Amino acid sequence: MPNGSHNNENAASAVTRHFRAPGRINIIGEHTDYNDGFVLPTNTALYTTVSAVGRADYCISATSEALRDRGKFRLGNNKLSTMPQWLTYIAGVAAELEKEGVPLTGAALDIDGDLPIGGGLSSSASLELATARAFMALAGVDLDIDTLATVCQLAEIHHAGVNCGIMDQYSVAGGKPGAAMLLDCRSLETKFVALPDTLSMVVTDSGVKHQHPESGYNDRAAECMKAVSLLQQANSGVRALRDVNTDQLDAEKSRLGNVLYRRARHVVSENTRTLAAYSALAEGDVIALGALVRASHDSLRDDYDVSCKSIEMLIELTAGCDGVIGSRMVGGGFGGCVLSIVEKKATESVVKRIRTDYGNIIGCEPWVHVVSAAGAAGEFEPE
Ligand code: GLA
């Protein structure tokens, strides 16, 4: 239940308030969150911004500057299927906050930002959290991070049709500047580790966009559930792939069949790599970190089948750059971005080389960004 006093007078106030939520970059731990596993994300200072002003009625109106679109819905309206996809995220957040007991009032939202949409940097969670922060502030209510992240995850599952895990929403809701967050997606326990000064993280957009409701994302989640139900025939204690180790998996290979075995092997091995990457960061072992990042990508490509041609070109290109210690795809896959862990002193030359070489491949200037490890979503004062 929400903390704080309700202040409905705020909602109809003509004062515009500003909220923003960062993008999430996952260092490692991909497709593990909806399997109750471990993830190691950080945030970056690319934001979705929401300027919000109260409306006296019970309606939410929203304008998306990036999509040049606008829409409106009445709070309490469940007919979300008639809305454009971007608006379902907002309507979903409103519906889930109301279920949580937050007394929402009308608002006019102006949405903008510099995060690539559908690029694997969690543009949807960023929109959800910026909107949730706006709705909560206008209602004069605060929620703890676990509840807030869960509300936004449910908005995506119930209203946008993506059976996602909680990584993106948790990272965007609870990240800390300069640090990576090890999140146990079952218990929601977190441990933070500082990112070393000697490394930088370079993110390149492949230019291949995905829409997770239509991509293979939900299929992968369903395959994992199927693997769990088969593994339960041998061991009723298995609740999720988190509960299985490699030996148990190998023993059940014929029960699972080749495809489900490979899907499960990715998740089981990725959990191990994620915990090892946290230790490598804590110990400043950048060589070990690089090897884990590369192995994560190989597993996503070969066992989980979520890479694509453009991503592979970027992986190959960055592997040939001096100073890159490891690269991998980030996010759900089927396109999106590649993260490269780079020796800080080589950052400029790596960025230049990607711009030139990938630019030649795609025939236009690629989007390349150096991650700044930003903090969590919240209210801000524009300059
Ligand atoms: C998307 C989902 C996350 C997570 C990643 C893959 O970003 O929103 O919950 O499953 O894909 O790791």
Side-chain angles (χ1 to χ4, degrees):
M1 286 299 287
N3 299 320
S5 62
H6 302 164
N7 186 358
N8 290 347
E9 281 160 24
N10 277 349
S13 136
V15 177
T16 302
R17 297 173 68 180
H18 305 274
F19 304 85
R20 68 181 181 189
R24 171 287 286 129
I25 313 275
N26 191 19
I27 298 171
I28 197 165
E30 218 66 270
H31 288 279
T32 46
D33 60 352
Y34 53 83
N35 290 299
D36 276 5
F38 299 94
V39 293
L40 189 64
T42 185
N43 294 332
T44 194
L46 292 168
Y47 294 98
T48 303
T49 56
V50 172
S51 302
V53 63
R55 287 175 63 113
D57 58 10
Y58 198 50
C59 289
I60 303 296
S61 57
T63 305
S64 165
E65 302 294 341
L67 299 173
R68 296 207 178 88
D69 198 7
R70 62 180 59 198
K72 188 174 161 188
F73 61 92
R74 230 184 129 62
L75 288 166
N77 170 20
N78 293 323
K79 292 189 195 123
L80 301 174
S81 57
T82 55
M83 295 182 187
Q85 177 76 10
W86 67 272
L87 198 58
T88 61
Y89 291 106
I90 296 171
V93 168
E96 295 299 327
L97 282 173
E98 288 197 303
K99 275 194 218 160
E100 198 52 47
V102 177
L104 297 192
T105 48
L109 310 177
D110 189 22
I111 297 154
D112 206 349
D114 49 10
L115 199 54
I117 296 173
L121 304 186
S122 182
S123 49
S124 47
S126 179
L127 173 61
E128 289 151 16
L129 263 303
T131 311
R133 280 277 171 218
F135 284 153
M136 285 157 52
L138 292 184
V141 160
D142 201 5
L143 297 174
D144 61 82
I145 300 298
D146 290 11
T147 310
L148 175 58
T150 305
V151 158
C152 291
Q153 179 197 15
L154 292 177
E156 189 144 346
I157 294 174
H158 294 157
H159 305 276
V162 184
N163 294 326
C164 65
I166 200 164
M167 166 173 70
D168 301 352
Q169 290 79 8
Y170 210 98
S171 181
V172 174
K176 290 189 181 163
M181 168 201 279
L182 178 69
L183 172 67
D184 178 336
C185 297
R186 175 172 278 168
S187 67
L188 299 186
E189 275 165 34
T190 52
K191 284 201 273 186
F192 289 88
V193 60
L195 291 167
D197 293 343
T198 51
L199 294 181
S200 58
M201 289 188 267
V202 175
V203 178
T204 309
D205 190 351
S206 67
V208 179
K209 302 285 175 210
H210 60 235
Q211 281 279 352
H212 281 325
E214 289 98 46
S215 76
Y217 184 91
N218 284 347
D219 297 339
R220 293 295 177 278
E223 285 169 339
C224 290
M225 279 174 67
K226 176 82 184 141
V228 168
S229 70
L230 291 171
L231 291 164
Q232 280 170 343
Q233 292 172 5
N235 178 349
S236 59
V238 173
R239 283 162 53 203
L241 289 177
R242 149 78 173 271
D243 301 314
V244 182
N245 62 35
T246 318
D247 290 345
Q248 288 168 308
L249 205 58
D250 287 347
E252 301 304 326
K253 194 170 177 181
S254 59
R255 192 192 295 272
L256 291 169
N258 179 44
V259 171
L260 294 186
Y261 170 75
R262 286 191 296 116
R263 303 297 187 251
R265 184 169 63 180
H266 165 73
V267 175
V268 172
S269 61
E270 186 78 348
N271 276 330
T272 306
R273 283 187 290 271
T274 304
L275 294 171
Y278 173 84
S279 303
L281 274 175
E283 288 155 17
D285 187 347
V286 293
I287 303 297
L289 179 68
L292 291 162
V293 163
R294 293 195 303 274
S296 168
H297 183 79
D298 292 348
S299 176
L300 286 159
R301 182 194 55 221
D302 300 336
D303 276 354
Y304 221 62
D305 284 324
V306 288
S307 187
C308 68
K309 208 170 144 208
S310 300
I311 292 284
E312 289 312 310
M313 286 195 277
L314 271 170
I315 294 289
E316 202 185 318
L317 192 166
T318 53
C321 294
D322 285 344
V324 172
I325 66 162
S327 291
R328 57 180 287 278
M329 51 151 277
V330 275
F334 308 100
C337 289
V338 163
L339 166 69
S340 301
I341 312 278
V342 179
E343 286 169 17
K344 191 158 247 162
K345 55 184 189 306
T347 310
E348 213 175 301
S349 66
V350 169
V351 168
K352 201 167 158 207
R353 172 95 182 270
I354 295 172
R355 278 196 213 286
T356 311
D357 291 6
Y358 196 60
N360 284 338
I361 293 172
I362 61 174
C364 61
E365 172 133 352
W367 182 93
V368 189
H369 168 78
V370 181
V371 176
S372 44
E379 190 165 5
F380 76 107
E381 283 304 324
E383 284 156 17

